[in-house]
Amino acid sequence: MTADAPMSADALARLDRRRFVADLIARLPADALLITGLGSPSYDVFAAGDRPGNFYLWGAMGAAAPLALGLALARPDRPVVAITGDGEHLMGIGTLATIGALRPANLALVVLDNAHFGETGMQPSHTGLGTDLIAVAQGFGIRDTVRITDLAQTEDLATRIEARTATTYAQVLIAADEPPRALPPRDGVANKNSFRAALGLSTF
């Protein structure tokens, strides 16, 4: 799967973030492990329904991709999906170099791109100032990339995640709105224990 040629962001459709995230999660296999970037992606995933296989990041900007990479390498038997935003992702963009070198087949990075830093005042992000995330991912060696501008593409993305045949990178163009916050638990220990239990590990 490859992206279309770059286009002006203004020329591309932007999706409802909550609807896209809920639709994607509903199509994922039950054993999928989800890592969320801080802020709105965590709220979107939690709003779609809390589950033991969700790990919500609080205040760890740039950590979603490296955490998902480590988890994918440790658990090749499970699909691992990082759902994050363009601002959080840009903070740790160098991780794509390692992901592109290792390319775990069970890893998917889903970047909800509204071209803004939503958690700090909606300042324009680099994706609205000329950075092409698909070109960046491909430049780092990630071959299976897609730019999503239509909800009809969600099923294909979920199918590729379930198949676990290649590292998948999806840039999802979403509207720059702020849905009501659905806050996941802030208890880090409880979150950790719940996630470890989902992995069949001790919680002590």
Side-chain angles (χ1 to χ4, degrees):
M1 174 170 34
T2 57
D4 296 330
M7 297 175 61
S8 164
D10 293 337
L12 297 171
R14 289 192 173 270
L15 307 180
D16 179 289
R17 61 184 308 144
R18 286 278 163 90
R19 182 177 176 187
F20 169 80
V21 170
D23 203 16
L24 176 63
I25 293 175
R27 295 172 187 272
L28 293 179
D31 67 341
L33 302 171
L34 306 185
I35 306 298
T36 70
L38 84 170
S40 294
S42 288
Y43 313 152
D44 297 334
V45 171
F46 184 70
D50 193 21
R51 49 195 290 282
N54 293 355
F55 191 81
Y56 307 102
L57 288 178
W58 287 96
M61 192 166 184
L67 179 56
L69 171 61
L71 185 60
L73 294 173
R75 294 301 301 261
D77 58 315
R78 306 278 291 269
V80 177
V81 185
I83 299 179
T84 190
D86 53 306
E88 193 276 347
H89 184 52
L90 286 163
M91 177 65 76
I93 198 72
T95 302
L96 289 184
T98 303
I99 291 174
L102 297 175
R103 293 195 295 272
N106 61 323
L107 175 63
L109 302 177
V110 179
V111 183
L112 306 176
D113 183 3
N114 63 6
H116 290 80
F117 291 98
E119 298 307 303
T120 60
M122 294 299 285
Q123 303 90 341
S125 83
H126 296 75
T127 63
L129 301 172
T131 295
D132 182 342
L133 288 180
I134 294 295
V136 171
Q138 291 175 345
F140 277 125
I142 300 172
R143 302 187 184 103
D144 189 18
T145 62
V146 62
R147 179 178 289 114
I148 293 180
T149 61
D150 190 319
L151 285 171
Q153 295 172 270
T154 311
E155 183 174 1
D156 179 67
L157 176 59
T159 298
R160 290 176 178 272
I161 291 171
E162 184 172 11
R164 288 185 283 145
T165 57
T167 294
T168 298
Y169 185 96
Q171 178 193 24
V172 185
L173 300 189
I174 59 168
D177 58 3
E178 295 188 75
R181 293 189 174 187
L183 300 179
R186 289 178 178 265
D187 187 331
V189 174
N191 192 14
K192 180 263 294 184
N193 286 340
S194 174
F195 195 69
R196 285 181 62 85
L199 293 170
L201 302 174
S202 167
T203 58
F204 296 102

